[in-house]
Amino acid sequence: MENNVYKLIELTGTSSSSIEDAVNNALQQAAKTVQNMRWFTVVETRGAIHEDRVSQWQVTVKVGFTLE
């Protein structure tokens, strides 16, 4: 088993359809520049309201990735 060192970053993803999509949107965008992502923790979930309905989910996650 390797003794890894991890770095944490905090991201906020958004979606008009679901919390899960908001998380995935954040991870997919981060993957363009961040390598070796291994895990995430949901820090905060919130949303925007328009005409008495949820119009957008906003999810903040901490993402851990291994350093090379």
Side-chain angles (χ1 to χ4, degrees):
M1 177 181 247
E2 292 183 41
N3 294 317
N4 292 316
V5 173
Y6 295 92
K7 178 160 180 67
L8 288 175
I9 57 174
E10 191 169 274
L11 307 167
T12 300
T14 63
S15 170
S16 58
S17 59
S18 72
I19 293 169
E20 184 176 351
D21 282 350
V23 172
N24 282 320
N25 289 340
L27 296 176
Q28 288 172 356
Q29 186 67 28
K32 294 178 182 178
T33 57
V34 178
Q35 298 178 358
N36 302 317
M37 290 188 291
R38 299 291 183 239
W39 52 269
F40 71 91
T41 302
V42 174
V43 177
E44 184 175 24
T45 304
R46 61 187 175 277
I49 301 168
H50 180 70
E51 296 181 358
D52 301 326
R53 297 183 60 107
V54 174
S55 62
Q56 184 179 64
W57 291 99
Q58 303 163 349
V59 181
T60 300
V61 293
K62 286 188 178 179
V63 178
F65 60 95
T66 54
L67 297 176
E68 294 182 0

